[in-house]
Amino acid sequence: MEIDILKTLIFYGFAGATLFFALLSIFSFRILYSLLSAVCVFFAVAGIYFTLGADYNAVIQIAIYGIAVPILFVLAIMFTSDKLDKKTYITVQPRFFFSFFGLGVLFLSLIYLIIISLSLNSNIDWVMQKQAVFINKYQMFKAISDGFFVDYALAFELFSVLLLIVVVGISTLGLIKEKTDD
Amino acid sequence: MIELLFDIGLYHYLILALILFSIGFFGAIVAKNMLKVLISVEFMLTAVNINFIAFAGFFDNIKLSGFVFSLFYLAVGAVEIAIALAIFYLMFRTKQSVNTEDYNCGKE
Amino acid sequence: MEGTFINNIYTVILFPLWVFLLIILGRLLNVIQSRRVISLLTLASTLYGVIFAVVTFLYMLKTPDYVYENSYAFLRIENYTLNFGVFVDNLSVIMLLVVTTISFLVQLYSTNYMYKDRSFPRFFAYLNLFNFSMIGLVLSPNLFQNYVFWELVGVSSYLLIGFWYKKPSAADAAKKAFLMNRIGDFGLLAGTIAISYFIYRYSDEASLATVPFSNIGNIGDYLYSYTNDAVFVIICVLLLFGSFAKSAQFPLHTWLADAMEGPTPVSALIHSATMVAAGVYLIARLYPLYSLSDGVMNFIAIIGLITALICAYFAITQNDLKRILAYSTNSQLGLMFLALGAGAYTGGLFHLVTHAYFKSMLFLCSGIVIHSLAHQQDIRFMGGLRKYLPLTAACYLIACISISGLLFSGFCSKEMILSGLLKNNHYIFAVGFLIVALMTAFYMFRSYFVVFEGDFKGSNVPLKSPFLLNLSISILAVFTVFLGIFQKGFEHFIKFGNDIAQSENLLNPVFISVSIAVLGIFLAFVIYCKKNKIIKPKILYQLSYNRFYIDNFYDFLSKKIYYTISNICAFIDKYLVDGLVILAGLNTRALSWVFSKMQTGNFQSYLAYAVIFLAISFAVLMFAYTMIMQYAFLSGVS
């Protein structure tokens, strides 16, 4: 079977960037650097979406996670920036090791699941040889709009209601007065 | 066997999502800064999104339901961040701290 | 006329109970306050019993071998019927006569003796309770009712010994008597149930399973044929243990001397004449059963002889007047057991009757002495009381002569026992009996000489004895002197089989026993009246004074060994059982400490727990999945 080496390189590049920036984001000293690394992660993930042919999703990802959410975070960082220092790095409580260990076990068992399914599933060849199909852009947009307005119209309407609730909820939260000592 | 590494299939995406999710989870647990915790949660959401899109890209070429749900999910994530930041703002107003160690009001 | 009396004989049981309840409730409701009314009621109830006993006795004399039984079903289980009621035969009526007459005289005595006591009504209530239970005991138609009243007698004995319950020694003595009796009662109950079981299981006659006294001969035969020797002997020994405890025989004899802590009339009534004779009475009742096995009979005789010997030996050195009499009672009861065990059935029972009268008289005399000396019981501080209390001294002397077997009723009964022993060729027992007789004469006259002869050693002048006290002991003295006349009649009235005491070769035993008694009296006279110095063999004296250290041994047994075992149990309980409980508590505390430490309140720690739980469940899931897949894989291959 012929391997598309370019596709492989693109995938590994985006995947490596994703993971690298994710780790960087968690282990960086300053919260602003964390946020910048997170933006990089979101961009890299958008690249991953491109490799799967989900162009529209990638654009939305960049628009929301790459731009809108970081702006919110920047606002939050702005009014807390005075309080930031190196004390708020990462914890050295026992939960550090516990979670490290727990996630390691989780990770290993999932990898094990994959290996087991690879070795036992008789249908594996079909799965392995299945390639991501880059479909026509017009078809993709049609499918997505069909999904939004036909198949999942109810979910879409509910989601609009949710957004309304959120807007009202956040306004209400912002109006809560600070408690006075009484 | 080595070709499995280079022939990019569904599993590569799944493992990528798994690693990203783990990193996010780990960050959510160990970070001492509240904002960093929120960022880590975003990583976890993103990892799940990758799974949605990967499955849709590999198996559902016609209806692309995974893409649609990924969009829903993106929006929900954005909403969640907005609410989380609002709550964080309120909490910060009372405690004047971003340190997660100070937010132990779950004890009471 | 007599039929009316015998048909209503159950009222003799119920009248004292009614008076008992009347006194108790009257006290509670403040209705009856007068001591005179209380004593009159009590005396009336007992006199009622005396009249019934006498009339019934006369009726029984006229109609030989007459047996009256009137009972109703108390408990009915299928074909098994437990009857409660009254049963009168020759033995019961004799016991009834003894119990009621002595009870009456003692109550007459107590009316004066206890008059000053604060708890006079309580005392009379207890006396009535005792009367009720004792009469119920002697009129029991079967072994089960016998057991019930046996326990009631024990209870009233306990209450009366501990009458002055504020005195620690009295309270202790009451407990001791009760516990010692419990040992015997347990044996009696076990034996009763065993007999009932065997009869019910193997016999066609279910009516015999309640062990009715009217048919005890058949029961004995059945039991003997259904069981093997060992079981039969075990049942008999269990039953005998009841008798041993009640009559204070050898292993369980220690309570009787301590029971003298009770008021003197109680000692006279319960612990010399009536209740302690219940053991002898029960043996006489079950005599057809016991007489089937020679081993059992010999066992009774040997235990009786041992008790008679050691208690007579103890009595020699005691200084407490009532204790001397108590050991004397013990020793005489031993003689009765010896007589019954050796086959001198009539002699033993006649000795029971005569002994009851003269021993209660002795106790009442000692009560007068103690009363007149302001509760001085030590004979070393008495002496020369004959000048102050001439009637008491005379009565005491009569009783001493009688108990020594020199003259009067004691002579007759002892002769009957001795001739019975000789007739049955129990020469060893006869020798033992004579030794006991020697010691009896010695210690009785020792007490007489020390108390009533010589010079007065006390500080206060003795008080005169009141009329009622003198009256009761005088009547008892009359009984003591003249009861011997009825020896012949008694032999025909109470007999077992063809056992009629032989009077033909009576001369030799009479000579021997009288000379033995005279020897004892002479020794006592020489040593205690003439004040001749003798060398006391110190070891023997100490042994006797300390009663072979049997009490100390029981103390050791109860205090040291029992306490040690208790301490071990307490240790186990405290550190092992409680330790486990505490350990469980500690575990919980440790776990809760851990869990409370886990509750930091920080949301990230909760996330960490979630991750750990997720990891563990995922690992388990993976493991299970692998197992299932491997199994499917393997089975698919094969």
Side-chain angles (χ1 to χ4, degrees):
Chain A
M1 199 183 89
E2 197 179 335
I3 294 167
D4 189 350
I5 195 73
L6 185 64
K7 206 173 117 187
T8 309
L9 281 178
I10 290 169
F11 173 77
Y12 277 116
F14 280 129
T18 306
L19 298 182
F20 172 74
F21 283 115
L23 286 172
L24 194 65
S25 166
I26 285 163
F27 288 105
S28 63
F29 277 101
R30 296 196 59 182
I31 185 66
L32 202 59
Y33 295 165
S34 289
L35 185 61
L36 281 175
S37 311
V39 171
C40 294
V41 169
F42 297 138
F43 273 94
V45 169
I48 294 287
Y49 293 170
F50 273 117
T51 63
L52 286 163
D55 300 356
Y56 186 64
N57 289 63
V59 170
I60 299 293
Q61 167 86 7
I62 288 166
I64 295 179
Y65 278 110
I67 298 164
V69 170
I71 288 173
L72 283 177
F73 271 101
V74 166
L75 280 172
I77 289 164
M78 272 166 68
F79 66 80
T80 66
S81 60
D82 290 351
K83 316 289 176 189
L84 289 177
D85 55 23
K86 302 213 170 142
K87 280 178 190 166
T88 58
Y89 178 43
I90 50 174
T91 186
V92 284
Q93 298 267 343
R95 66 170 180 266
F96 180 92
F97 307 101
F98 280 138
S99 57
F100 192 79
F101 175 76
L103 286 167
V105 169
L106 198 62
F107 182 74
L108 289 177
S109 29
L110 285 170
I111 294 291
Y112 180 71
L113 175 68
I114 290 167
I115 290 167
I116 287 286
S117 60
L118 277 178
S119 60
L120 289 181
N121 199 335
S122 55
N123 223 4
I124 193 69
D125 289 338
W126 180 76
V127 176
M128 290 307 290
Q129 285 159 15
K130 186 91 181 167
Q131 294 298 312
V133 182
F134 290 91
I135 55 171
N136 190 329
K137 294 291 173 288
Y138 169 74
Q139 278 181 348
M140 186 187 80
F141 284 120
K142 187 175 182 298
I144 288 174
S145 30
D146 276 355
F148 270 143
F149 298 114
V150 179
D151 294 341
Y152 306 110
L154 182 64
F156 191 71
E157 292 302 322
L158 282 177
F159 187 74
S160 63
V161 173
L162 175 70
L163 282 178
L164 183 66
I165 291 169
V166 165
V167 168
V168 174
I170 289 175
S171 320
T172 318
L173 283 176
L175 285 174
I176 291 174
K177 290 276 185 295
E178 199 170 346
K179 263 190 198 164
T180 52
D181 299 334
D182 47 13
Chain B
M1 204 60 193
I2 193 79
E3 63 201 40
L4 280 179
L5 265 179
F6 293 101
D7 185 15
I8 304 300
L10 178 61
Y11 286 108
H12 295 81
Y13 290 95
L14 295 185
I15 290 169
L16 171 68
L18 177 59
I19 296 171
L20 188 58
F21 184 86
S22 298
I23 290 171
F25 212 147
F26 186 68
I29 292 169
V30 301
K32 271 176 108 176
N33 194 320
M34 280 299 266
L35 293 169
K36 215 189 259 183
V37 172
L38 291 178
I39 291 168
S40 306
V41 171
E42 288 312 305
F43 290 165
M44 287 153 76
L45 285 172
T46 311
V48 174
N49 240 341
I50 291 172
N51 275 1
F52 266 120
I53 291 181
F55 275 110
F58 276 94
F59 292 119
D60 188 11
N61 294 329
I62 314 300
K63 296 196 77 173
L64 294 173
S65 304
F67 288 12
V68 177
F69 267 90
S70 147
L71 288 171
F72 278 131
Y73 205 76
L74 275 174
V76 168
V79 163
E80 176 247 321
I81 283 297
I83 295 175
L85 282 173
I87 293 170
F88 167 70
Y89 167 67
L90 284 175
M91 280 158 62
F92 182 79
R93 214 165 54 172
T94 56
K95 295 270 182 181
Q96 291 297 317
S97 168
V98 291
N99 195 341
T100 54
E101 304 292 327
D102 296 335
Y103 294 98
N104 55 0
C105 40
K107 213 174 193 173
E108 287 145 15
Chain C
M1 177 64 195
E2 288 95 344
T4 320
F5 276 95
I6 204 163
N7 282 330
N8 291 313
I9 200 156
Y10 64 91
T11 52
V12 177
I13 305 179
L14 296 179
F15 200 176
L17 179 64
W18 180 69
V19 176
F20 164 71
L21 293 173
L22 203 63
I23 295 172
I24 293 288
L25 293 175
R27 286 275 289 169
L28 284 178
L29 305 171
N30 283 331
V31 179
I32 301 176
Q33 293 286 6
S34 162
R35 297 176 180 211
R36 190 179 294 274
V37 172
I38 288 170
S39 59
L40 278 177
L41 267 173
T42 309
L43 286 172
S45 80
T46 318
L47 192 61
Y48 181 81
V50 173
I51 292 164
F52 266 73
V54 170
V55 173
T56 315
F57 176 65
L58 294 174
Y59 184 70
M60 301 291 267
L61 273 182
K62 271 192 284 181
T63 52
D65 297 333
Y66 176 76
V67 170
Y68 170 78
E69 181 164 3
N70 181 16
S71 49
Y72 67 96
F74 178 74
L75 191 69
R76 197 177 276 128
I77 304 164
E78 292 178 7
N79 56 349
Y80 177 92
T81 310
L82 182 57
N83 289 321
F84 270 26
V86 291
F87 169 76
V88 185
D89 67 350
N90 294 355
L91 185 59
S92 317
V93 84
I94 289 287
M95 285 299 291
L96 187 63
L97 209 53
V98 171
V99 169
T100 49
T101 46
I102 292 179
S103 196
F104 180 73
L105 293 171
V106 168
Q107 282 164 2
L108 202 64
Y109 182 92
S110 328
T111 305
N112 189 294
Y113 190 83
M114 300 297 288
Y115 200 77
K116 299 268 172 54
D117 200 287
R118 272 186 68 248
S119 307
F120 181 87
R122 186 160 60 90
F123 184 76
F124 270 75
Y126 289 165
L127 281 186
N128 275 299
L129 179 64
F130 173 74
N131 253 6
F132 157 68
S133 30
M134 192 67 208
I135 295 170
L137 175 65
V138 299
L139 294 180
S140 295
N142 55 44
L143 202 48
F144 283 94
Q145 188 184 339
N146 185 79
Y147 178 75
V148 171
F149 283 99
W150 189 270
E151 293 280 18
L152 273 173
V153 167
V155 168
S156 34
S157 160
Y158 166 78
L159 291 170
L160 283 165
I161 294 169
F163 179 69
W164 290 313
Y165 54 87
K166 283 177 184 162
K167 204 163 71 175
S169 59
D172 288 349
K175 271 181 265 177
K176 187 174 183 179
F178 197 72
L179 287 176
M180 285 286 184
N181 271 310
R182 288 305 316 161
I183 298 172
D185 292 345
F186 170 73
L188 180 59
L189 183 60
T192 310
I193 291 169
I195 292 186
S196 189
Y197 170 76
F198 279 113
I199 297 290
Y200 189 77
R201 181 80 185 274
Y202 296 113
S203 157
D204 298 332
E205 298 177 63
S207 64
L208 291 187
T210 58
V211 204
F213 288 146
S214 51
N215 226 341
I216 201 78
N218 283 344
I219 290 170
D221 292 340
Y222 282 137
L223 195 66
Y224 197 64
S225 54
Y226 299 143
T227 56
N228 58 17
D229 276 354
V231 174
F232 184 77
V233 168
I234 286 169
I235 291 172
C236 288
V237 168
L238 281 174
L239 288 169
L240 279 172
F241 251 82
S243 297
F244 288 162
K246 202 53 98 188
S247 295
Q249 294 304 298
F250 164 57
L252 307 170
H253 66 277
T254 55
W255 68 268
L256 188 59
D258 287 345
M260 297 303 132
E261 292 293 339
T264 310
V266 172
S267 309
L269 175 62
I270 300 181
H271 303 120
S272 69
T274 51
M275 189 192 84
V276 289
V280 184
Y281 167 77
L282 188 67
I283 289 185
R285 268 273 169 248
L286 302 176
Y287 205 67
L289 186 70
Y290 297 143
S291 61
L292 291 172
S293 164
D294 283 345
V296 172
M297 294 297 274
N298 285 331
F299 180 65
I300 300 171
I302 288 166
I303 290 288
L305 185 61
I306 290 171
T307 314
L309 280 170
I310 63 171
C311 288
Y313 183 55
F314 299 158
I316 291 171
T317 52
Q318 299 303 313
N319 288 324
D320 188 320
L321 182 54
K322 284 180 73 179
R323 253 173 203 280
I324 296 173
L325 296 176
Y327 279 118
S328 167
T329 308
N330 230 331
S331 152
Q332 299 299 315
L333 287 166
L335 288 185
M336 292 172 211
F337 273 68
L338 170 65
L340 287 172
Y345 179 79
T346 316
L349 286 174
F350 193 56
H351 193 56
L352 192 165
V353 175
T354 57
H355 171 261
Y357 287 101
F358 58 67
K359 185 51 63 66
S360 55
M361 181 165 76
L362 280 171
F363 268 110
L364 294 182
C365 290
S366 78
I368 293 174
V369 169
I370 291 162
H371 184 252
S372 68
L373 293 176
H375 297 287
Q376 176 61 261
Q377 297 197 4
D378 197 328
I379 57 169
R380 284 170 296 186
F381 300 102
M382 298 173 183
L385 289 176
R386 190 158 57 88
K387 293 181 212 92
Y388 303 98
L389 304 163
L391 183 70
T392 313
C395 290
Y396 199 91
L397 186 60
I398 288 170
C400 282
I401 291 168
S402 181
I403 198 173
S404 307
L406 198 61
L407 277 177
F408 309 141
S409 57
F411 166 77
C412 303
S413 56
K414 286 201 166 185
E415 288 316 316
M416 278 171 80
I417 293 176
L418 188 58
S419 58
L421 291 180
L422 290 175
K423 191 189 136 219
N424 292 326
N425 298 325
H426 289 303
Y427 294 111
I428 297 165
F429 291 153
V431 170
F433 178 83
L434 290 174
I435 294 169
V436 175
L438 175 67
M439 288 199 279
T440 307
F442 180 73
Y443 67 72
M444 283 318 297
F445 276 89
R446 165 181 178 257
S447 70
Y448 173 76
F449 287 134
V450 171
V451 172
F452 292 101
E453 301 292 335
D455 302 321
F456 182 57
K457 303 187 195 67
S459 44
N460 302 326
V461 178
L463 306 167
K464 286 272 177 257
S465 63
F467 168 70
L468 272 179
L469 271 52
N470 284 337
L471 179 67
S472 3
I473 59 169
S474 311
I475 296 169
L476 281 169
V478 171
F479 274 116
T480 307
V481 173
F482 294 109
L483 216 56
I485 297 167
F486 304 112
Q487 185 189 356
K488 283 280 177 231
F490 194 85
E491 279 174 10
H492 292 285
F493 193 64
I494 300 271
K495 55 179 180 289
F496 174 69
N498 297 318
D499 167 48
I500 295 173
Q502 300 297 310
S503 312
E504 286 80 40
N505 55 352
L506 203 61
L507 197 61
N508 287 341
V510 167
F511 178 70
I512 296 167
S513 75
V514 168
S515 50
I516 287 269
V518 169
L519 177 65
I521 294 166
F522 177 71
L523 278 174
F525 179 73
V526 166
I527 295 169
Y528 292 102
C529 197
K530 289 297 164 193
K531 298 286 188 310
N532 284 336
K533 291 281 178 198
I534 52 151
I535 304 148
K536 286 176 184 166
K538 198 165 185 187
I539 297 168
L540 288 178
Y541 184 84
Q542 284 295 330
L543 269 180
S544 165
Y545 188 74
N546 292 312
R547 305 175 298 264
F548 285 162
Y549 298 96
I550 290 172
D551 280 304
N552 303 48
F553 174 69
Y554 285 161
D555 268 8
F556 172 73
L557 210 63
S558 59
K559 285 200 184 119
K560 290 281 157 43
I561 294 177
Y562 180 70
Y563 279 10
T564 312
I565 294 169
S566 308
N567 278 334
I568 292 167
C569 292
F571 181 83
I572 289 170
D573 192 54
K574 197 172 175 184
Y575 292 102
L576 205 72
V577 180
D578 283 7
L580 281 174
V581 176
I582 290 168
L583 192 66
L586 279 180
N587 264 332
T588 317
R589 275 176 78 173
L591 273 177
S592 61
W593 183 81
V594 168
F595 281 121
S596 74
K597 281 292 151 192
M598 279 169 75
Q599 307 295 319
T600 55
N602 191 308
F603 66 92
Q604 286 168 312
S605 8
Y606 301 130
L607 265 179
Y609 307 144
V611 165
I612 290 165
F613 178 73
L614 200 66
I616 290 168
S617 38
F618 238 94
V620 171
L621 204 65
M622 284 305 109
F623 184 73
Y625 176 77
T626 317
M627 288 293 121
I628 292 165
M629 290 306 283
Q630 271 182 358
Y631 178 75
F633 182 68
L634 288 175
S635 62
V637 165
S638 63

